[in-house]
Amino acid sequence: WIRFFSESGRFVRYDERGCGMSDWRPGELSLAQWADDLGAVVDAAAPDGPLTLLGISQGAGTCIQYALRHPERVERLILYGGYARGVFHRGTPDAEATYRAIIELARVAWNSDNPAFREVFTSRFIPGGSAEQHEWYNELCRRVVSGEAAAALMTARAGVDITDLLGEIRCPALVLHGRDDQVVPIAEGRLIASGIRGAEFVELDSCNHVLLEQEPAWQRFREAVTAFLRP
């Protein structure tokens, strides 16, 4: 089987071993393009009725953008670890300086044989992970994207700002966020929830941007999503 994954403004094909079958050169990097990609997936899937969209991290903005374009297609939104404004729009100079440094580090050292450079990235996403999980994530990063593309992606994400569009969402929304998320501060999750009319907000006891199955927050996430999806 072949699955399609779009994180860089274009579709990249992977075979059953997870091996990329197209080049690493990203196309257009913008929220509009990511919403177009999502639309292409929805069109290909041809669902029978309205959708429930799950948006994680950058995917939250993508799902919001798609829901605004196609309100008749979207029944609910579930947004985890998301943000409506990138770090360049948060008014946090120290965080922005740190992020710019990480971008440059990715550009020059991402593909190094020494995983220490990618560990800077990994340790922010799963600070509570085991050594084995860190090793897996480091290798995953190296395999799926080049340093130049990673830097370009991070730059594009940091420039997102759709805070003024949140009030236009009319479907039910569940917003979940880790209390001590090291990648996207919980304040950004609260901002989304406060901007979408009637949105439910769930704070998770976690420091991980990528939830790990052994932590209690994962079970809490599952319970909240299951309850939200009940008719």
Side-chain angles (χ1 to χ4, degrees), residues 34-52:
W34 297 328
D36 286 346
D37 291 345
L38 176 56
V41 173
V42 172
D43 291 343
D48 294 332
L51 304 165
T52 293

Side-chain angles (χ1 to χ4, degrees), residues 123-143:
S123 63
R124 297 173 71 242
F125 274 71
I126 49 172
S130 65
E132 182 181 12
Q133 287 167 327
H134 276 233
E135 181 180 356
W136 164 78
Y137 203 84
N138 282 332
E139 182 61 14
L140 177 68
C141 289
R142 186 187 68 80
R143 282 175 176 265

